[in-house]
Amino acid sequence: MKSFAGNPNYKERKRFVEGDVAQGRKAEVVFLDGEILQGSVLEYEPKSSGFFLFPSDPKSNNGRVFVLHSAVKKFRYLEKEKAQKALRSDYQPLMPESRGKLLMVTDEERTLLRLVLSRVMETPSGREYIVEALGEPYLMIAADLLKEMQQD
């Protein structure tokens, strides 16, 4: 979100127009409530919990939106060619490609995540929260992720 106040008078475009440049591959999402939103994706994996969508409107108050697969009725690419190279080269996979691309983050986001995750993992209550909120396997995933991020 660019601004908490936003601009209540601005009507955001939900679709691409001629000449729009995408930050990845252009796509259209139809949500369960009928809303249709076009934007671009850097990575789309149907078996994951969701994906980031960069809105088609460059003046949107949202820089990117995390879309949960459970809220999607239909997803389709708008282009037939292979994914374009991302214009936003500051985004890198959080995990090495050999482990899968869990999340695309900037260096600043990586630093923040490393700080927060290290604080959560250093306390018993933080580790208990991970287990209660996500399940036992995620405690090991969090530990592995923190270890890999500390090696960077």
Side-chain angles (χ1 to χ4, degrees):
M1 181 180 315
K2 296 175 186 172
S3 162
F4 285 114
N7 181 354
N9 297 323
Y10 182 72
K11 180 147 173 70
E12 184 176 333
R13 270 194 296 120
K14 304 286 184 178
R15 298 185 180 277
F16 284 104
V17 295
E18 188 69 34
D20 277 348
V21 177
Q23 297 184 46
R25 195 166 176 192
K26 291 181 181 180
E28 180 178 81
V29 179
V30 179
F31 293 92
L32 294 174
D33 66 359
E35 180 182 3
I36 299 172
L37 183 62
Q38 289 183 355
S40 58
V41 295
L42 297 175
E43 186 79 20
Y44 175 76
E45 175 56 52
K47 294 180 182 176
S48 67
S49 60
F51 58 95
F52 280 103
L53 180 78
F54 295 86
S56 59
D57 187 348
K59 294 180 183 176
S60 170
N61 194 40
N62 298 305
R64 62 185 168 171
V65 177
F66 187 75
V67 178
L68 293 171
H69 282 294
S70 60
V72 175
K73 180 177 182 179
K74 181 180 177 187
F75 175 92
R76 71 179 181 102
Y77 287 112
L78 298 174
E79 305 164 324
K80 296 205 184 303
E81 70 266 9
K82 297 287 183 199
Q84 301 169 349
K85 183 178 177 192
L87 298 178
R88 296 281 309 268
S89 61
D90 54 335
Y91 282 90
Q92 299 297 323
L94 182 60
M95 300 288 284
E97 196 163 340
S98 61
R99 296 271 313 267
K101 293 181 181 177
L102 298 179
L103 182 63
M104 302 297 284
V105 295
T106 63
D107 286 337
E108 293 83 12
E109 292 168 332
R110 182 184 299 267
T111 301
L112 178 63
L113 183 57
R114 183 183 306 129
L115 176 66
V116 170
L117 190 54
S118 66
R119 297 283 190 238
V120 169
M121 291 296 290
E122 73 185 11
T123 65
S125 61
R127 291 189 299 274
E128 286 174 19
Y129 174 78
I130 290 173
V131 171
E132 289 174 13
L134 302 171
E136 186 75 35
Y138 284 89
L139 189 59
M140 183 62 88
I141 292 170
D144 290 347
L145 179 59
L146 183 59
K147 190 184 322 178
E148 286 184 23
M149 287 187 345
Q150 290 172 337
Q151 291 173 357
D152 289 346

PDB file of all heavy atoms in Angstrom, residues 52-74:
ATOM      1  N   PHE A  52       1.701 -13.211  -5.673  1.00  0.00           N
ATOM      2  CA  PHE A  52       1.664 -11.754  -5.722  1.00  0.00           C
ATOM      3  C   PHE A  52       1.211 -11.303  -7.105  1.00  0.00           C
ATOM      4  O   PHE A  52       1.665 -11.830  -8.117  1.00  0.00           O
ATOM      5  CB  PHE A  52       3.031 -11.151  -5.417  1.00  0.00           C
ATOM      6  CG  PHE A  52       3.335 -11.113  -3.952  1.00  0.00           C
ATOM      7  CD1 PHE A  52       4.200 -12.029  -3.391  1.00  0.00           C
ATOM      8  CD2 PHE A  52       2.746 -10.158  -3.139  1.00  0.00           C
ATOM      9  CE1 PHE A  52       4.477 -12.002  -2.039  1.00  0.00           C
ATOM     10  CE2 PHE A  52       3.011 -10.119  -1.790  1.00  0.00           C
ATOM     11  CZ  PHE A  52       3.878 -11.037  -1.233  1.00  0.00           C
ATOM     12  N   LEU A  53       0.320 -10.326  -7.115  1.00  0.00           N
ATOM     13  CA  LEU A  53      -0.181  -9.724  -8.353  1.00  0.00           C
ATOM     14  C   LEU A  53       0.128  -8.235  -8.296  1.00  0.00           C
ATOM     15  O   LEU A  53      -0.222  -7.562  -7.325  1.00  0.00           O
ATOM     16  CB  LEU A  53      -1.695  -9.944  -8.470  1.00  0.00           C
ATOM     17  CG  LEU A  53      -2.357  -9.376  -9.725  1.00  0.00           C
ATOM     18  CD1 LEU A  53      -2.079 -10.298 -10.910  1.00  0.00           C
ATOM     19  CD2 LEU A  53      -3.860  -9.247  -9.534  1.00  0.00           C
ATOM     20  N   PHE A  54       0.821  -7.738  -9.315  1.00  0.00           N
ATOM     21  CA  PHE A  54       1.102  -6.312  -9.434  1.00  0.00           C
ATOM     22  C   PHE A  54      -0.032  -5.709 -10.264  1.00  0.00           C
ATOM     23  O   PHE A  54      -0.197  -6.069 -11.429  1.00  0.00           O
ATOM     24  CB  PHE A  54       2.449  -6.079 -10.119  1.00  0.00           C
ATOM     25  CG  PHE A  54       3.619  -6.578  -9.314  1.00  0.00           C
ATOM     26  CD1 PHE A  54       4.036  -7.897  -9.411  1.00  0.00           C
ATOM     27  CD2 PHE A  54       4.291  -5.737  -8.446  1.00  0.00           C
ATOM     28  CE1 PHE A  54       5.104  -8.363  -8.676  1.00  0.00           C
ATOM     29  CE2 PHE A  54       5.366  -6.190  -7.695  1.00  0.00           C
ATOM     30  CZ  PHE A  54       5.771  -7.506  -7.817  1.00  0.00           C
ATOM     31  N   PRO A  55      -0.852  -4.820  -9.680  1.00  0.00           N
ATOM     32  CA  PRO A  55      -2.016  -4.276 -10.392  1.00  0.00           C
ATOM     33  C   PRO A  55      -1.641  -3.617 -11.724  1.00  0.00           C
ATOM     34  O   PRO A  55      -0.556  -3.041 -11.865  1.00  0.00           O
ATOM     35  CB  PRO A  55      -2.584  -3.245  -9.418  1.00  0.00           C
ATOM     36  CG  PRO A  55      -2.118  -3.695  -8.079  1.00  0.00           C
ATOM     37  CD  PRO A  55      -0.759  -4.291  -8.319  1.00  0.00           C
ATOM     38  N   SER A  56      -2.550  -3.695 -12.686  1.00  0.00           N
ATOM     39  CA  SER A  56      -2.315  -3.127 -14.010  1.00  0.00           C
ATOM     40  C   SER A  56      -2.278  -1.603 -13.994  1.00  0.00           C
ATOM     41  O   SER A  56      -1.650  -0.992 -14.837  1.00  0.00           O
ATOM     42  CB  SER A  56      -3.395  -3.604 -14.984  1.00  0.00           C
ATOM     43  OG  SER A  56      -4.675  -3.218 -14.508  1.00  0.00           O
ATOM     44  N   ASP A  57      -2.924  -0.997 -13.032  1.00  0.00           N
ATOM     45  CA  ASP A  57      -2.975   0.465 -12.937  1.00  0.00           C
ATOM     46  C   ASP A  57      -1.755   0.977 -12.180  1.00  0.00           C
ATOM     47  O   ASP A  57      -1.623   0.744 -10.978  1.00  0.00           O
ATOM     48  CB  ASP A  57      -4.260   0.894 -12.213  1.00  0.00           C
ATOM     49  CG  ASP A  57      -4.469   2.397 -12.218  1.00  0.00           C
ATOM     50  OD1 ASP A  57      -3.528   3.138 -12.579  1.00  0.00           O
ATOM     51  OD2 ASP A  57      -5.576   2.829 -11.876  1.00  0.00           O
ATOM     52  N   PRO A  58      -0.844   1.685 -12.868  1.00  0.00           N
ATOM     53  CA  PRO A  58       0.351   2.180 -12.185  1.00  0.00           C
ATOM     54  C   PRO A  58       0.044   3.221 -11.103  1.00  0.00           C
ATOM     55  O   PRO A  58       0.858   3.465 -10.226  1.00  0.00           O
ATOM     56  CB  PRO A  58       1.188   2.787 -13.308  1.00  0.00           C
ATOM     57  CG  PRO A  58       0.256   3.026 -14.429  1.00  0.00           C
ATOM     58  CD  PRO A  58      -0.879   2.055 -14.272  1.00  0.00           C
ATOM     59  N   LYS A  59      -1.145   3.803 -11.138  1.00  0.00           N
ATOM     60  CA  LYS A  59      -1.530   4.792 -10.128  1.00  0.00           C
ATOM     61  C   LYS A  59      -2.301   4.160  -8.968  1.00  0.00           C
ATOM     62  O   LYS A  59      -2.779   4.858  -8.088  1.00  0.00           O
ATOM     63  CB  LYS A  59      -2.370   5.894 -10.766  1.00  0.00           C
ATOM     64  CG  LYS A  59      -1.594   6.733 -11.773  1.00  0.00           C
ATOM     65  CD  LYS A  59      -2.457   7.803 -12.378  1.00  0.00           C
ATOM     66  CE  LYS A  59      -1.694   8.590 -13.422  1.00  0.00           C
ATOM     67  NZ  LYS A  59      -2.542   9.575 -14.083  1.00  0.00           N
ATOM     68  N   SER A  60      -2.397   2.834  -8.973  1.00  0.00           N
ATOM     69  CA  SER A  60      -3.090   2.119  -7.901  1.00  0.00           C
ATOM     70  C   SER A  60      -2.405   2.411  -6.570  1.00  0.00           C
ATOM     71  O   SER A  60      -1.183   2.599  -6.513  1.00  0.00           O
ATOM     72  CB  SER A  60      -3.059   0.615  -8.171  1.00  0.00           C
ATOM     73  OG  SER A  60      -3.511  -0.101  -7.041  1.00  0.00           O
ATOM     74  N   ASN A  61      -3.167   2.422  -5.502  1.00  0.00           N
ATOM     75  CA  ASN A  61      -2.595   2.610  -4.173  1.00  0.00           C
ATOM     76  C   ASN A  61      -1.883   1.345  -3.704  1.00  0.00           C
ATOM     77  O   ASN A  61      -1.134   1.374  -2.750  1.00  0.00           O
ATOM     78  CB  ASN A  61      -3.691   3.005  -3.167  1.00  0.00           C
ATOM     79  CG  ASN A  61      -3.105   3.531  -1.878  1.00  0.00           C
ATOM     80  OD1 ASN A  61      -2.119   4.276  -1.883  1.00  0.00           O
ATOM     81  ND2 ASN A  61      -3.684   3.148  -0.764  1.00  0.00           N
ATOM     82  N   ASN A  62      -2.109   0.233  -4.383  1.00  0.00           N
ATOM     83  CA  ASN A  62      -1.459  -1.026  -4.036  1.00  0.00           C
ATOM     84  C   ASN A  62      -0.280  -1.275  -4.969  1.00  0.00           C
ATOM     85  O   ASN A  62      -0.456  -1.337  -6.181  1.00  0.00           O
ATOM     86  CB  ASN A  62      -2.440  -2.199  -4.160  1.00  0.00           C
ATOM     87  CG  ASN A  62      -3.604  -2.049  -3.212  1.00  0.00           C
ATOM     88  OD1 ASN A  62      -3.423  -1.889  -2.014  1.00  0.00           O
ATOM     89  ND2 ASN A  62      -4.805  -2.070  -3.751  1.00  0.00           N
ATOM     90  N   GLY A  63       0.907  -1.434  -4.379  1.00  0.00           N
ATOM     91  CA  GLY A  63       2.075  -1.760  -5.185  1.00  0.00           C
ATOM     92  C   GLY A  63       2.034  -3.197  -5.662  1.00  0.00           C
ATOM     93  O   GLY A  63       2.445  -3.522  -6.762  1.00  0.00           O
ATOM     94  N   ARG A  64       1.521  -4.067  -4.798  1.00  0.00           N
ATOM     95  CA  ARG A  64       1.323  -5.481  -5.119  1.00  0.00           C
ATOM     96  C   ARG A  64       0.294  -6.026  -4.145  1.00  0.00           C
ATOM     97  O   ARG A  64       0.108  -5.516  -3.050  1.00  0.00           O
ATOM     98  CB  ARG A  64       2.621  -6.270  -5.056  1.00  0.00           C
ATOM     99  CG  ARG A  64       3.244  -6.283  -3.689  1.00  0.00           C
ATOM    100  CD  ARG A  64       4.574  -6.969  -3.693  1.00  0.00           C
ATOM    101  NE  ARG A  64       5.215  -6.686  -2.426  1.00  0.00           N
ATOM    102  CZ  ARG A  64       6.295  -7.240  -2.001  1.00  0.00           C
ATOM    103  NH1 ARG A  64       6.890  -8.132  -2.746  1.00  0.00           N
ATOM    104  NH2 ARG A  64       6.810  -6.925  -0.847  1.00  0.00           N
ATOM    105  N   VAL A  65      -0.356  -7.099  -4.561  1.00  0.00           N
ATOM    106  CA  VAL A  65      -1.424  -7.707  -3.775  1.00  0.00           C
ATOM    107  C   VAL A  65      -1.117  -9.190  -3.646  1.00  0.00           C
ATOM    108  O   VAL A  65      -0.788  -9.842  -4.642  1.00  0.00           O
ATOM    109  CB  VAL A  65      -2.789  -7.523  -4.483  1.00  0.00           C
ATOM    110  CG1 VAL A  65      -3.894  -8.212  -3.723  1.00  0.00           C
ATOM    111  CG2 VAL A  65      -3.093  -6.052  -4.698  1.00  0.00           C
ATOM    112  N   PHE A  66      -1.208  -9.728  -2.418  1.00  0.00           N
ATOM    113  CA  PHE A  66      -1.068 -11.172  -2.263  1.00  0.00           C
ATOM    114  C   PHE A  66      -2.451 -11.785  -2.421  1.00  0.00           C
ATOM    115  O   PHE A  66      -3.370 -11.459  -1.678  1.00  0.00           O
ATOM    116  CB  PHE A  66      -0.471 -11.556  -0.904  1.00  0.00           C
ATOM    117  CG  PHE A  66      -0.166 -13.022  -0.817  1.00  0.00           C
ATOM    118  CD1 PHE A  66       0.935 -13.555  -1.466  1.00  0.00           C
ATOM    119  CD2 PHE A  66      -0.993 -13.879  -0.108  1.00  0.00           C
ATOM    120  CE1 PHE A  66       1.220 -14.915  -1.411  1.00  0.00           C
ATOM    121  CE2 PHE A  66      -0.715 -15.241  -0.046  1.00  0.00           C
ATOM    122  CZ  PHE A  66       0.388 -15.760  -0.694  1.00  0.00           C
ATOM    123  N   VAL A  67      -2.609 -12.645  -3.411  1.00  0.00           N
ATOM    124  CA  VAL A  67      -3.890 -13.268  -3.732  1.00  0.00           C
ATOM    125  C   VAL A  67      -3.884 -14.706  -3.215  1.00  0.00           C
ATOM    126  O   VAL A  67      -3.019 -15.501  -3.586  1.00  0.00           O
ATOM    127  CB  VAL A  67      -4.138 -13.264  -5.260  1.00  0.00           C
ATOM    128  CG1 VAL A  67      -5.439 -13.958  -5.602  1.00  0.00           C
ATOM    129  CG2 VAL A  67      -4.112 -11.850  -5.811  1.00  0.00           C
ATOM    130  N   LEU A  68      -4.832 -15.026  -2.361  1.00  0.00           N
ATOM    131  CA  LEU A  68      -4.973 -16.397  -1.876  1.00  0.00           C
ATOM    132  C   LEU A  68      -5.685 -17.237  -2.930  1.00  0.00           C
ATOM    133  O   LEU A  68      -6.703 -16.821  -3.481  1.00  0.00           O
ATOM    134  CB  LEU A  68      -5.778 -16.422  -0.577  1.00  0.00           C
ATOM    135  CG  LEU A  68      -5.113 -15.773   0.625  1.00  0.00           C
ATOM    136  CD1 LEU A  68      -6.096 -15.669   1.782  1.00  0.00           C
ATOM    137  CD2 LEU A  68      -3.888 -16.559   1.038  1.00  0.00           C
ATOM    138  N   HIS A  69      -5.151 -18.409  -3.213  1.00  0.00           N
ATOM    139  CA  HIS A  69      -5.777 -19.284  -4.204  1.00  0.00           C
ATOM    140  C   HIS A  69      -7.213 -19.638  -3.816  1.00  0.00           C
ATOM    141  O   HIS A  69      -8.063 -19.832  -4.688  1.00  0.00           O
ATOM    142  CB  HIS A  69      -4.963 -20.561  -4.404  1.00  0.00           C
ATOM    143  CG  HIS A  69      -3.754 -20.373  -5.253  1.00  0.00           C
ATOM    144  ND1 HIS A  69      -3.825 -20.058  -6.591  1.00  0.00           N
ATOM    145  CD2 HIS A  69      -2.446 -20.438  -4.959  1.00  0.00           C
ATOM    146  CE1 HIS A  69      -2.617 -19.945  -7.083  1.00  0.00           C
ATOM    147  NE2 HIS A  69      -1.751 -20.167  -6.112  1.00  0.00           N
ATOM    148  N   SER A  70      -7.487 -19.697  -2.525  1.00  0.00           N
ATOM    149  CA  SER A  70      -8.830 -20.060  -2.070  1.00  0.00           C
ATOM    150  C   SER A  70      -9.870 -18.997  -2.436  1.00  0.00           C
ATOM    151  O   SER A  70     -11.062 -19.268  -2.410  1.00  0.00           O
ATOM    152  CB  SER A  70      -8.835 -20.297  -0.560  1.00  0.00           C
ATOM    153  OG  SER A  70      -8.426 -19.129   0.126  1.00  0.00           O
ATOM    154  N   ALA A  71      -9.428 -17.784  -2.801  1.00  0.00           N
ATOM    155  CA  ALA A  71     -10.348 -16.705  -3.176  1.00  0.00           C
ATOM    156  C   ALA A  71     -10.504 -16.582  -4.689  1.00  0.00           C
ATOM    157  O   ALA A  71     -11.263 -15.741  -5.170  1.00  0.00           O
ATOM    158  CB  ALA A  71      -9.863 -15.376  -2.599  1.00  0.00           C
ATOM    159  N   VAL A  72      -9.795 -17.419  -5.452  1.00  0.00           N
ATOM    160  CA  VAL A  72      -9.770 -17.310  -6.907  1.00  0.00           C
ATOM    161  C   VAL A  72     -10.719 -18.314  -7.555  1.00  0.00           C
ATOM    162  O   VAL A  72     -10.668 -19.501  -7.266  1.00  0.00           O
ATOM    163  CB  VAL A  72      -8.337 -17.530  -7.450  1.00  0.00           C
ATOM    164  CG1 VAL A  72      -8.319 -17.531  -8.976  1.00  0.00           C
ATOM    165  CG2 VAL A  72      -7.400 -16.473  -6.898  1.00  0.00           C
ATOM    166  N   LYS A  73     -11.574 -17.793  -8.433  1.00  0.00           N
ATOM    167  CA  LYS A  73     -12.461 -18.661  -9.211  1.00  0.00           C
ATOM    168  C   LYS A  73     -11.752 -19.106 -10.487  1.00  0.00           C
ATOM    169  O   LYS A  73     -11.849 -20.259 -10.905  1.00  0.00           O
ATOM    170  CB  LYS A  73     -13.740 -17.901  -9.555  1.00  0.00           C
ATOM    171  CG  LYS A  73     -14.745 -18.690 -10.348  1.00  0.00           C
ATOM    172  CD  LYS A  73     -16.007 -17.875 -10.575  1.00  0.00           C
ATOM    173  CE  LYS A  73     -17.058 -18.650 -11.323  1.00  0.00           C
ATOM    174  NZ  LYS A  73     -18.276 -17.834 -11.515  1.00  0.00           N
ATOM    175  N   LYS A  74     -11.025 -18.155 -11.124  1.00  0.00           N
ATOM    176  CA  LYS A  74     -10.350 -18.465 -12.387  1.00  0.00           C
ATOM    177  C   LYS A  74      -9.090 -17.613 -12.515  1.00  0.00           C
ATOM    178  O   LYS A  74      -9.098 -16.432 -12.168  1.00  0.00           O
ATOM    179  CB  LYS A  74     -11.289 -18.174 -13.563  1.00  0.00           C
ATOM    180  CG  LYS A  74     -10.723 -18.474 -14.924  1.00  0.00           C
ATOM    181  CD  LYS A  74     -11.721 -18.162 -16.015  1.00  0.00           C
ATOM    182  CE  LYS A  74     -11.114 -18.387 -17.383  1.00  0.00           C
ATOM    183  NZ  LYS A  74     -12.002 -17.947 -18.448  1.00  0.00           N
TER     184      LYS A  74
END
